[in-house]
Amino acid sequence: MPEYIQIKDVAKYASQEVLIKGWVYQKRSSGKLHFLQIRDGSADIQAVIFKNDVSEDVFELGDKIALESSVEIVGVVNEHKRSKIGYEISVRDMKLISDGEGYPITPKEHGVAFLMENRHLWLRSPRQRAILKIRNEIIKSIRDFFYEKGFTLVDAPIFTPSACEGTTNLFETTYFDTKAYLSQSGQLYMEAAAMALGKVYCFGPTFRAEKSKTRRHLTEFWMVEPEMAFCDLDGDMALAEEFVEYIVQSVVAKCRDELEVLERDISKLENIKRPFPRISYDEAIEILKKNGHEDIKWGDDFGGDEETVISEQFDRPVMIHHYPAECKAFYMKQDEQNPKTVKCVDMIAPEGYGEIIGGAQREENIDILLEKLKANNLSEEAFEWYLDLRRYGSVEHAGFGLGIERTVSWICGLHHVRETIPFPRLMDRIKP
Ligand code: 4AD
Ligand code: MG
């Protein structure tokens, strides 16, 4: 039996006989030749079945085989300049592992509802595979970035006793004889960890019972949350822009083929270089007033429409800082110069993809924190441990959270976040 190899490695086996295993995702025939497109997950290759090279049975199998059948192929690796991988396989023998007859997704156009219902199969399509590969690269670049910068990965819990990002979108669950909530954010735990390890981050799933059916909202999404001791809002913004530039440029460097499958305009991504524009909330209000939002007033929060108008003014992500305190979470540090605002930042992606990062310097003043807890209807008792962080050796600190799916959506140029995560959880979807 020849060596079993992954398709991505074929170049090392030029002119040799090899064994590959995969799925047939396309086929065509012309008389004495059948052409099967084979996918094994590592790459794709064309397998050519020439009547004179194989047994009658194998030639017939090549003719009749259903798409998405799994196969084992023995063949010779031959140069084929016109194909993406540069090689094709001249088949000598082929064995059907399992028949794909009746595979419900056909080359014709299907509606999104049908594809979502069949998400477990839809993942096999070239477009979905390209998105998953890019998501993988984004996650790797995130881990590399923080590792290189000396951050320690600290995992945050998923069951939590209290809210971090407001009480309106909490998923409640029973936890033995008490209540618990699925985590909205690991941030509060990262604040504790930053006092132990200086620079930390968590990276995990987070949950929001968002009753909004927008193209930016999931109920379960992945968030990466760095937190730094001895860091203020400026340091936080500097890290955020370096981080986003690093992620985007990693994808541009490593995922050319996938971006091409998605027909992404790569020049727009190449342009994502520091420094990113920084504007205050007040300046953002001015931009909105001049661009069709005359009625907006100081104190209003921005939704998707407002974010899009602001992002259209810039060719790279824009950071909006110093929002009114009432728009933002209880833990954000009050600005001494203008106590109506907090030292926070939202990063808005270009091309209308909306907020990808939310962050802030954290309030250290325990009296202000106590007032904020009260104003937000949060129980002081549940936050005693958090207040301890201010009681013992408190220092200036800051951090942010980047939503993975919105970032994937932007980098891939997708219409909706539902395609950015293998099995999306939406207000109206928990299957498959
Ligand atoms: O702005 P958010 O709510 O910030 C926090 O949770 C902070 N505790 C983070 C921190 O400072 N450590 O959420 C951060 C990011 C958003 O900018 C967005 O990218 C993403 O998480 N996000 C969502 N993504 C998809 N679906 C949702 N429902 C999302 N909600 C937030
Ligand atoms: Mg936010």
Side-chain angles (χ1 to χ4, degrees), residues 75-86:
V76 178
V77 177
N78 283 328
E79 216 172 299
H80 181 59
K81 290 231 162 66
R82 274 182 300 125
S83 76
K84 194 167 260 170
I85 198 163

Side-chain angles (χ1 to χ4, degrees), residues 62-90:
D63 184 33
K64 301 242 164 80
I65 196 159
L67 295 187
E68 289 306 323
S69 295
S70 48
V71 290
E72 282 184 21
I73 290 176
V74 171
V76 178
V77 177
N78 283 328
E79 216 172 299
H80 181 59
K81 290 231 162 66
R82 274 182 300 125
S83 76
K84 194 167 260 170
I85 198 163
Y87 294 88
E88 62 181 16
I89 301 257
S90 299

Side-chain angles (χ1 to χ4, degrees), residues 7-280:
I7 294 174
K8 71 172 171 54
D9 298 327
V10 283
K12 288 185 236 157
Y13 296 86
S15 310
Q16 294 179 42
E17 201 172 71
V18 297
L19 167 66
I20 61 168
K21 303 181 188 188
W23 296 263
V24 180
Y25 72 91
Q26 258 174 41
K27 62 169 198 173
R28 69 190 166 84
S29 288
S30 67
K32 288 184 174 166
L33 288 166
H34 302 310
F35 301 93
L36 306 183
Q37 305 302 323
I38 307 292
R39 162 190 95 237
D40 76 350
S42 74
D44 302 351
I45 199 163
Q46 170 163 279
V48 185
I49 309 177
F50 180 46
K51 198 170 168 54
N52 297 355
D53 283 347
V54 295
S55 70
E56 252 175 58
D57 288 353
V58 168
F59 192 71
E60 196 182 309
L61 176 61
D63 184 33
K64 301 242 164 80
I65 196 159
L67 295 187
E68 289 306 323
S69 295
S70 48
V71 290
E72 282 184 21
I73 290 176
V74 171
V76 178
V77 177
N78 283 328
E79 216 172 299
H80 181 59
K81 290 231 162 66
R82 274 182 300 125
S83 76
K84 194 167 260 170
I85 198 163
Y87 294 88
E88 62 181 16
I89 301 257
S90 299
V91 178
R92 296 287 177 267
D93 195 12
M94 178 165 80
K95 208 170 85 194
L96 180 69
I97 302 172
S98 171
D99 193 0
E101 189 57 48
Y103 186 72
I105 300 179
T106 57
K108 74 163 198 220
E109 286 273 313
H110 293 285
V112 172
F114 177 83
L115 292 169
M116 289 294 286
E117 218 34 62
N118 287 284
R119 182 69 178 163
H120 52 296
L121 302 175
W122 189 22
L123 292 181
R124 302 183 189 188
S125 79
R127 195 182 143 79
Q128 298 307 315
R129 287 190 283 133
I131 296 168
L132 289 181
K133 289 275 188 191
I134 292 174
R135 181 183 169 105
N136 172 59
E137 187 59 42
I138 289 173
I139 292 173
K140 179 183 184 302
S141 70
I142 288 170
R143 295 194 184 284
D144 288 349
F145 178 86
F146 286 124
Y147 189 85
E148 292 304 320
K149 287 204 160 294
F151 282 67
T152 304
L153 174 68
V154 177
D155 301 310
I158 301 291
F159 285 129
T160 57
S162 49
C164 175
E165 295 298 324
T167 49
T168 54
N169 60 12
L170 279 171
F171 274 114
E172 193 179 303
T173 173
T174 51
Y175 191 75
F176 303 107
D177 45 10
T178 65
K179 270 192 239 171
Y181 308 99
L182 300 184
S183 177
Q184 297 167 307
S185 158
Q187 178 199 320
L188 306 183
Y189 299 99
M190 290 309 103
E191 290 187 54
M195 301 303 135
L197 293 153
K199 294 198 279 185
V200 298
Y201 74 104
C202 62
F203 192 174
T206 45
F207 306 86
R208 311 253 172 119
E210 303 272 15
K211 292 223 167 88
S212 43
K213 293 186 188 171
T214 79
R215 60 198 195 90
R216 297 170 184 170
H217 286 94
L218 292 159
T219 55
E220 176 178 320
F221 63 97
W222 285 67
M223 188 162 32
V224 55
E225 298 183 84
E227 191 73 30
M228 293 170 285
F230 308 106
C231 182
D232 61 8
L233 178 61
D234 277 332
D236 205 29
M237 291 198 277
L239 183 79
E241 65 181 358
E242 187 181 354
F243 178 54
V244 169
E245 177 188 299
Y246 184 87
I247 296 172
V248 173
Q249 296 314 323
S250 300
V251 173
V252 169
K254 308 241 180 71
C255 299
R256 288 266 156 184
D257 290 352
E258 288 79 8
L259 291 169
E260 220 170 273
V261 169
L262 300 171
E263 296 173 4
R264 183 65 166 114
D265 180 350
I266 296 177
S267 68
K268 289 219 166 87
L269 298 177
E270 282 168 338
N271 191 43
I272 307 303
K273 297 269 167 72
R274 282 174 288 167
F276 295 173
R278 299 178 184 191
I279 61 172
S280 66

